[in-house]
Amino acid sequence: MQQRFESRCIGLATIVAWASTIVAAPSGAGDSAASWESFRGGPGLTGVAAPVQPRTFEPLWLYESDAGFESSPIIAGGRVFVGSMAGKLAAVDLSNGRELWSYAAGAPLKGSPAHHGGVVFVGDESGGFHAVDAVTGKPRFVVRVADEISSSPNFAGPAALFGSNDTFIHAVDLKTGKALWRVETGGYVYGTPAIWRENAISVGCDGNLRVVRLADGVVVRSVPVGGYVGASPAVSGDRAYFGSYDNEVLAVDLAQGKIVWRWEHPERKFPFLSSAATDGRIVVLGGRDRMVHALDAQEGKLLWSWQAAAKVDGSVVLAGDLVWFGVTDGKVVALDLASGRKIWAFDTGAPILGAPALAAGRLVVAGQGGQVICFGAKSNETGR
C-alpha cells in the first residue's frame, strides 16, 4: 500500500514547543528503580530495569481476576496496573495485592497499560484508547479509532503514541485525546513506537521500519526489513533491534536507514513475537522455537541460547546481571545474562504471554489463568 500521511492541524507554536521538549531515549534503566511505567520500561523500549536484589524470590501476594491476562502489568506510585481480557483495568496495591479501583473499558485489553503524569493509558480490542486517572480510576477521555489496539502507548512531549490494526500509527494529545497526526502503513501495527531523538520508530506487519518525525508525523525514512513484525523495536544509541515473523532478528541503523545485521538460527526456523531487550552490548529475546537467545549487539553473533519447555512469546527484561521472562508453560524464569544459566524459576500454573514488571524490589507477572503474582525477597534474605 502506498504510504500516506495525515496531519491534524498542529499550530507552529505547538510544533516548536513539542520539538524542544524531546530528548534522546535512554539506553539504560528507567527514571526510578521504584517504577516500571510501561511494558518496556521507558521511551526507548529497551526492556532494561534497575538491578533487583536478592537473586531469589518467593510469592508475596496473589490477585485474581474474573478473566485472564495477555498483556503486561506495570508499576507506578506504589500501585500495579493491569488490564484483563474481560476489559477491566485494575489498580492494585503493590504492598499487599488489594484492589484499589477498577475501570470497565468495555472490550478486552490485549495491549499493556502505560502510566504518564498521573494518568494510565490503555487501548482495547474494539479500538478504544482510554485515559484513566491513576489515583481515582475515573476516565479522563476515550478516543475511538477504527480497529483493535494491541500496542502499548509511548509518550513524547504532549503526545501519546500507539499503533492499531486500522494500519495507522496514531499520536493524540495527552490531556484531551485530540488527534495530532496519524501515519498510514500497509498493515497492522501491533508493536509500540519507540522514541529516538525527535522521532518515533515503528515496525509493523507491512515489513517496513518507519522513522516518523514527532513534531508533525512526517515519515523521515522507511526501511524495508522483509517479513512482518509483531514485536516492538528496542532502541539503543542509533540502532533498533527486533525479531520478525520471518524467523530473523535484525539490527537497523536509524541514522543511515540500513540493516546492519540479520541473525537466524541455523536449524530452528520459528517466528519471534517477543520484543527484544538490550543494554547496547547484548540483545536478548524469546522465540517460538522455545528458546531465549542472546546476541552481540554490534555484530549479531550468537552468545548463548537457553532451552525452555514451551514458547517464549512474552518479552524479556534485563535487570543488572539477570534476564527475567515468562513462558507459555506458566514458568517465570531468571537467567544469568553473561552465560544463560538458569538462576531461578517458579511455576505459576498458567501461560504467561506478557513481560514481567520489575521495580521497588518486586517482580510482578500476570497470566492467562487470571492471576497476578507479586514476588519479593525470601524471608531469610531480609532478616525477618
Side-chain angles (χ1 to χ4, degrees), residues 196 234-241 251-254 260-261 297-300:
W196 172 71
V235 174
S236 179
D238 287 339
R239 290 187 179 184
Y241 304 94
V252 175
D253 187 305
L254 300 173
V260 179
W261 54 255
Q298 293 304 306
E299 300 180 358

Side-chain angles (χ1 to χ4, degrees), residues 177-194:
K178 179 182 178 181
L180 299 175
W181 52 256
R182 63 179 189 166
V183 173
E184 187 175 10
T185 74
Y188 296 161
V189 185
Y190 288 113
T192 299

Side-chain angles (χ1 to χ4, degrees), residues 31-93:
D31 292 338
S32 170
S35 64
W36 184 258
E37 296 191 292
S38 66
F39 95 110
R40 304 310 290 144
L45 310 185
T46 57
V48 177
V52 178
Q53 295 295 335
R55 297 166 69 89
T56 53
F57 282 69
E58 65 178 6
L60 299 181
W61 52 256
L62 173 71
Y63 169 80
E64 294 188 279
S65 172
D66 52 0
F69 301 97
E70 294 191 3
S71 62
S72 309
I74 60 170
I75 299 172
R79 298 180 175 195
V80 175
F81 300 96
V82 62
S84 79
M85 292 302 290
K88 174 182 173 181
L89 176 66
V92 178
D93 192 311

Side-chain angles (χ1 to χ4, degrees), residues 247-312:
N247 317 326
E248 293 183 319
V249 184
L250 300 91
V252 175
D253 187 305
L254 300 173
Q256 299 183 40
K258 68 177 185 179
I259 297 171
V260 179
W261 54 255
R262 297 176 183 266
W263 178 84
E264 184 177 14
H265 194 282
E267 298 175 355
R268 301 176 68 86
K269 310 300 184 184
F270 289 88
F272 293 95
L273 293 186
S274 168
S275 296
T278 184
D279 61 2
R281 299 170 300 167
I282 190 170
V283 179
V284 186
L285 78 169
R288 290 204 151 177
D289 58 0
R290 302 185 176 189
M291 303 184 82
V292 174
H293 304 283
L295 307 171
D296 177 85
Q298 293 304 306
E299 300 180 358
K301 294 180 179 179
L302 181 67
L303 301 176
W304 54 257
S305 293
W306 182 81
Q307 181 70 61
K311 295 180 294 186
V312 185

Side-chain angles (χ1 to χ4, degrees), residues 10-335:
I10 310 173
L12 178 62
T14 302
I15 295 175
V16 173
W18 185 348
S20 68
T21 65
I22 300 168
V23 296
S27 60
D31 292 338
S32 170
S35 64
W36 184 258
E37 296 191 292
S38 66
F39 95 110
R40 304 310 290 144
L45 310 185
T46 57
V48 177
V52 178
Q53 295 295 335
R55 297 166 69 89
T56 53
F57 282 69
E58 65 178 6
L60 299 181
W61 52 256
L62 173 71
Y63 169 80
E64 294 188 279
S65 172
D66 52 0
F69 301 97
E70 294 191 3
S71 62
S72 309
I74 60 170
I75 299 172
R79 298 180 175 195
V80 175
F81 300 96
V82 62
S84 79
M85 292 302 290
K88 174 182 173 181
L89 176 66
V92 178
D93 192 311
L94 180 61
S95 65
N96 57 27
R98 180 174 63 90
E99 183 178 288
L100 301 173
W101 54 256
S102 66
Y103 166 83
L109 300 175
K110 290 184 178 180
S112 303
H115 176 273
H116 183 83
V119 180
V120 181
F121 299 84
V122 68
D124 71 37
E125 194 177 50
S126 71
F129 184 69
H130 306 261
V132 182
D133 188 280
V135 175
T136 66
K138 302 298 183 183
R140 296 283 187 91
F141 62 77
V142 180
V143 175
R144 296 289 174 186
V145 300
D147 209 335
E148 175 182 324
I149 303 170
S150 293
S151 168
S152 181
N154 206 346
F155 309 101
L161 301 102
F162 58 91
S164 169
N165 283 12
D166 67 1
T167 74
F168 284 91
I169 307 161
H170 295 268
V172 302
D173 187 274
L174 281 166
K175 294 182 179 180
T176 66
K178 179 182 178 181
L180 299 175
W181 52 256
R182 63 179 189 166
V183 173
E184 187 175 10
T185 74
Y188 296 161
V189 185
Y190 288 113
T192 299
I195 306 302
W196 172 71
R197 299 184 182 177
E198 291 89 21
N199 306 285
I201 308 300
S202 178
V203 196
C205 291
D206 68 349
N208 288 283
L209 178 146
R210 289 176 174 80
V211 180
V212 182
R213 195 162 61 205
L214 287 166
D216 52 13
V218 169
V219 178
V220 176
R221 66 176 52 92
S222 182
V223 183
V225 298
Y228 70 86
V229 178
S232 304
V235 174
S236 179
D238 287 339
R239 290 187 179 184
Y241 304 94
F242 54 91
S244 79
Y245 225 82
D246 264 6
N247 317 326
E248 293 183 319
V249 184
L250 300 91
V252 175
D253 187 305
L254 300 173
Q256 299 183 40
K258 68 177 185 179
I259 297 171
V260 179
W261 54 255
R262 297 176 183 266
W263 178 84
E264 184 177 14
H265 194 282
E267 298 175 355
R268 301 176 68 86
K269 310 300 184 184
F270 289 88
F272 293 95
L273 293 186
S274 168
S275 296
T278 184
D279 61 2
R281 299 170 300 167
I282 190 170
V283 179
V284 186
L285 78 169
R288 290 204 151 177
D289 58 0
R290 302 185 176 189
M291 303 184 82
V292 174
H293 304 283
L295 307 171
D296 177 85
Q298 293 304 306
E299 300 180 358
K301 294 180 179 179
L302 181 67
L303 301 176
W304 54 257
S305 293
W306 182 81
Q307 181 70 61
K311 295 180 294 186
V312 185
D313 282 347
S315 304
V316 305
V317 174
L318 309 184
D321 60 352
L322 296 180
V323 181
W324 300 85
F325 57 94
V327 186
T328 55
D329 67 355
K331 292 185 176 64
V332 188
V333 181
L335 305 179

